[in-house]
């Protein structure tokens, strides 16, 4: 009973995983409309350094994702949402360093 429920929920999350971020839209809008506390407390220079650091982290993550997607062997992954089709487990490239480099790139 509980195993069937977990499998059903897991399949549902796997199918709709691309749309989860839409649930955060109200939070994004709130963040864009509020004043920046770093600039108010520490000044414009500190705020610019903070934003530069945030952009650097974002682009490093994007680079990790691009590298991972660019060097994936055939038939080890794909953008399938209805079912999984991997013929073998990928243990080369970035996958030899971390279990899921795409999630690492998102972090």
């Amino acid at each position: 009973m509980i195993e069937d429920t977990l499998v059903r929920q897991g399949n549902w999350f796997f199918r709709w995983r691309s749309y989860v971020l839409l649930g955060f839209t109200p939070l994004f809008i709130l963040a864009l409309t509020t004043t920046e506390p770093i600039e108010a407390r520490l000044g414009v220079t500190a705020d610019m350094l903070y934003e530069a650091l945030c952009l650097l982290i974002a682009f490093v993550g994007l680079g990790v994702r691009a590298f991972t997607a660019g060097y994936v062997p055939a038939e080890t992954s794909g953008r399938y949402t209805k079912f999984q089709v991997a013929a073998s487990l990928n243990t080369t490239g970035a996958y030899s360093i971390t279990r899921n480099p795409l999630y690492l790139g998102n972090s």
Side-chain angles (χ1 to χ4, degrees):
M1 167 95 172
I2 194 162
E3 184 176 335
D4 294 335
T5 302
L6 290 174
V7 168
R8 190 177 69 252
Q9 289 174 351
N11 288 336
W12 186 89
F13 280 117
F14 181 78
R15 174 144 168 69
W16 297 103
R17 70 188 184 273
S18 300
Y19 302 100
V20 171
L21 285 178
L22 291 177
F24 289 99
T25 301
L27 183 61
F28 293 145
I29 292 170
L30 177 67
L32 290 173
T33 58
T34 57
T35 60
E36 299 185 39
I38 293 176
E39 185 177 353
R41 293 181 185 162
L42 302 175
V44 176
T45 304
D47 184 55
M48 289 177 63
L49 288 173
Y50 175 73
E51 289 177 2
L53 177 66
C54 291
L55 284 172
L56 176 68
I57 291 170
F59 281 114
V60 166
L62 185 62
V64 167
R65 289 186 58 84
F67 173 78
T68 301
Y71 292 98
V72 172
E75 296 183 5
T76 58
S77 64
R79 294 195 50 84
Y80 305 100
T81 57
K82 295 195 183 343
F83 56 90
Q84 297 181 27
V85 296
S88 64
L89 183 63
N90 185 0
T91 58
T92 62
Y95 286 93
S96 68
I97 299 169
T98 180
R99 186 175 189 171
N100 196 328
L102 294 175
Y103 290 162
L104 177 67
N106 283 349
S107 298

